[in-house]
Amino acid sequence: MEKYVEPFKIKVVEPIKVIGPEARQKAIARSGYNLFKLHAEEIYIDLLTDSGTSAMSDNQWAGIMMGDESYAGGRNYFHFEETVHDIFGFQNVIPCHQGRVAENLLFQTIAAPGLVIPNNSHFDTTRANVEMNGAEAVDLLCAEGQDPHLVASFKGNMDVDALEKLIADVGVDKIPAVMMTITNNSGGGQPVSMANIRAVGEICHRHGLPLIFDAARFAENAWFIHQREPGYRDKSILEIVQEMFSYGDGCTMSAKKDGLVNMGGFLALRDDALSERIRNLLILVEGFPTYGGLAGRDLEAMARGFREVLEPDYLRFRVGQVEMLGEQLVEAGVSILEPPGGHAIYLNAGEFLPHIPPQEFPGQSLAVNLYVESGIRGVEIGTFMFGGADPKTGENRTARLELVRLAIPRRVYTNMHMNFVAQSIIALHEKRDTLRGMKILKQPPFLRHFSATLSFLGEEAASRTQA
Ligand SMILES: *Cc1c(COP(=O)(O)O)cnc(C)c1O
């Protein structure tokens, strides 16, 4: 029980208006049954993402008031730089306003056509930045990570044999860097073990390749190592984090996750010459190197967030809250990706709604029904998001899994909110046979999940008759 208890008390509250199922039905119909088009105020519990949705602490808000808004050399930059240096260990610290800018600056500089970037799993913005610069993004996720039912400790690991083979096949000259995403976001927020990080680091350095971490959820990853990997129970989270990064040469960071801020990020590197080139680009796109697209106060909040996120009480609650939601669902027979990762629960909509085929978007039906019934917003990650016509063959593709992701914002919702989420999903599960499939009425040529409009099957005809 203790691991789930909130390690904070609430000093400021943000009221949420609850609008009731009929108003929600109207809101979602107006939005074309697309949850991205709702007004956030029409939602009771918003689990769309854990990115930039954290609640800051009183200490961070106090830091906001200590912002030094000098154009160059503001004191908050030096505090931020010293903090990143101390925790992550890299001497060159380049601030930017979010993680994808760090990726953009890095890959603009090191990626080119004909080159290959391996990763355990590329996050979508990482892949896009690699590919936009003409290089190939290759995922080398371990076999365990690909089985949605297998309960294993480190399902985010990279397949090290596959990495060796890739290096042998394409040659070191074609690989400007190896990436490692901790925790593995696209792989369900599953952690990477210290043994795997060490092994990948060893391979990289034997071949003279830099290892760059995508560090968005570095503290959650360290917590899993602390809990699950032999030999780490007596180490502090800071010591574990320092060891993780000691095997690498740099990192990209979206501080909107484990920075506990609403906006911010950085790129940090050991390589001085590469950093010099990137700082010159930074001035072009984000600003002077001591603010990088952020206000001084933002840098201060980030510096303070990086310390707070290492607190064991915070991490025990954070990862525990996600786990508790998962446990309640599993106990009630709801199929989720197991074990729960660090930041989200993924409902297995394909198994939740076996009577709805992928082409009728079971995940979207589940997400929309969950919103209408209970005011909870998750996001479909399945055929609605990834399907559609193959650009090469024109064939209609389906996703490997039909999922609904419930990402949990940090320090925002209480365990009672999470109980409500669990009970709502369980209630929907009990009447799952009544849920219907959906069809797309209108869609853009790409990234359709953001703007397409849909309807429930059978409903379209009914509304035409009424009209
Ligand atoms: C969010 C995220 C990014 C991109 O960061 P933004 O701050 O959203 O630009 C990159 N990698 C991972 C693993 C992420 O979760």
Side-chain angles (χ1 to χ4, degrees):
M1 194 59 218
E2 198 182 315
K3 71 176 173 184
Y4 299 136
V5 173
E6 287 86 350
F8 50 79
K9 51 186 177 173
I10 295 165
K11 182 157 10 205
V12 176
V13 294
E14 178 182 347
I16 359 183
K17 201 170 79 190
V18 187
I19 63 173
E22 275 158 39
R24 287 196 292 263
Q25 176 55 51
K26 267 196 199 135
I28 196 69
R30 183 204 70 224
S31 306
Y33 295 91
N34 186 326
L35 294 153
F36 282 99
K37 295 203 203 172
L38 290 169
H39 297 186
E41 291 187 331
E42 292 162 338
I43 294 156
Y44 176 36
I45 297 181
D46 199 353
L47 308 182
L48 181 65
T49 178
D50 67 321
S51 179
T53 53
S54 301
M56 293 205 296
S57 66
D58 53 358
N59 177 51
Q60 285 176 294
W61 280 108
I64 291 275
M65 287 307 293
M66 300 301 288
D68 170 358
E69 305 307 339
S70 308
Y71 189 90
R75 67 170 169 254
N76 311 110
Y77 171 76
F78 296 107
H79 181 208
F80 165 74
E81 182 193 41
E82 180 193 300
T83 305
V84 172
H85 188 227
D86 187 29
I87 296 173
F88 298 82
F90 307 120
Q91 66 264 33
N92 295 288
V93 183
I94 301 166
C96 54
H97 84 271
Q98 60 183 91
R100 69 196 67 186
V101 181
E103 295 169 349
N104 185 285
L105 292 166
L106 178 68
F107 293 120
Q108 225 185 105
T109 312
I110 67 168
L115 302 184
V116 177
I117 314 278
N119 201 327
N120 44 351
S121 304
H122 286 84
F123 180 64
D124 52 14
T125 61
T126 322
R127 172 175 293 279
N129 274 296
V130 168
E131 291 176 351
M132 192 190 70
N133 289 290
E136 190 188 347
V138 179
D139 290 345
L140 303 175
L141 182 63
C142 67
E144 287 180 336
Q146 309 191 20
D147 178 349
H149 293 292
L150 180 78
V151 175
S153 295
F154 293 104
K155 290 174 74 175
N157 282 355
M158 184 180 280
D159 180 338
V160 288
D161 294 335
L163 177 63
E164 289 273 28
K165 185 171 180 310
L166 182 83
I167 295 170
D169 287 351
V170 307
V172 286
D173 299 348
K174 294 282 188 295
I175 304 177
V178 174
M179 296 284 297
M180 215 173 186
T181 308
I182 52 175
T183 59
N184 190 339
N185 185 357
S186 307
Q190 297 293 325
V192 177
S193 71
M194 191 72 88
N196 191 248
I197 294 173
R198 196 183 302 119
V200 169
E202 192 275 319
I203 293 170
C204 288
H205 298 141
R206 181 154 37 83
H207 293 284
L209 299 174
L211 170 60
I212 309 289
F213 294 98
D214 179 344
R217 297 179 183 80
F218 73 100
E220 289 167 11
N221 199 87
W223 179 254
F224 283 113
I225 290 174
H226 183 266
Q227 294 294 300
R228 295 181 181 175
E229 195 159 349
Y232 289 94
R233 262 308 161 98
D234 297 329
K235 296 234 157 86
S236 71
I237 302 300
L238 178 61
E239 285 170 325
I240 294 173
V241 167
Q242 286 168 335
E243 183 182 340
M244 281 161 43
F245 291 103
S246 74
Y247 300 119
D249 304 281
C251 68
T252 58
M253 178 72 197
S254 169
K256 298 172 70 172
K257 286 72 172 233
D258 275 353
L260 297 175
V261 291
N262 306 114
M263 194 55 73
F266 67 81
L267 172 64
L269 296 165
R270 292 198 202 283
D271 186 328
D272 295 333
L274 178 63
S275 302
E276 185 67 38
R277 286 167 63 199
I278 290 176
R279 279 200 190 94
N280 290 333
L281 272 176
L282 183 80
I283 294 175
L284 201 66
V285 297
E286 289 275 83
F288 192 72
T290 63
Y291 73 85
L294 293 162
R297 55 179 172 266
D298 297 331
L299 292 166
E300 187 61 33
M302 242 199 302
R304 294 179 184 213
F306 288 138
R307 292 281 178 201
E308 288 177 14
V309 81
L310 302 176
E311 288 291 330
D313 286 343
Y314 160 76
L315 285 167
R316 181 181 299 113
F317 165 74
R318 162 66 178 160
V319 174
Q321 188 180 50
V322 176
E323 181 187 87
M324 183 178 69
L325 174 59
E327 277 171 1
Q328 283 176 278
L329 294 173
V330 169
E331 225 163 84
V334 177
S335 172
I336 63 167
L337 289 196
E338 290 188 82
H343 70 285
I345 291 296
Y346 293 72
L347 303 175
N348 190 330
E351 295 185 352
F352 198 113
L353 301 172
H355 59 287
I356 303 180
Q359 299 78 7
E360 296 176 8
F361 313 121
Q364 186 66 10
S365 173
L366 179 53
V368 169
N369 276 288
L370 186 60
Y371 169 70
V372 173
E373 297 276 318
S374 309
I376 299 160
R377 174 161 70 173
V379 61
E380 192 262 12
I381 301 189
T383 295
F384 179 48
M385 185 178 277
F386 296 125
D390 187 301
K392 285 187 197 128
T393 62
E395 221 172 293
N396 234 346
R397 295 169 298 184
T398 57
R400 192 172 69 84
L401 292 169
E402 301 297 332
L403 304 172
V404 173
R405 185 183 75 178
L406 306 170
I408 316 298
R410 293 168 182 78
R411 304 193 291 206
V412 170
Y413 293 117
T414 64
N415 287 340
M416 194 56 98
H417 285 120
M418 291 298 114
N419 286 347
F420 174 78
V421 171
Q423 293 317 312
S424 302
I425 294 165
I426 292 165
L428 207 50
H429 192 245
E430 277 159 12
K431 57 174 190 181
R432 59 191 178 278
D433 296 346
T434 65
L435 270 57
R436 283 176 293 168
M438 306 190 79
K439 68 182 228 182
I440 294 179
L441 300 180
K442 192 161 171 267
Q443 60 180 316
F446 45 81
L447 293 177
R448 67 182 182 185
H449 57 286
F450 290 122
S451 58
T453 57
L454 306 95
S455 71
F456 278 103
L457 289 169
E459 225 159 60
E460 204 207 3
S463 58
R464 252 205 313 269
T465 329
Q466 276 163 23

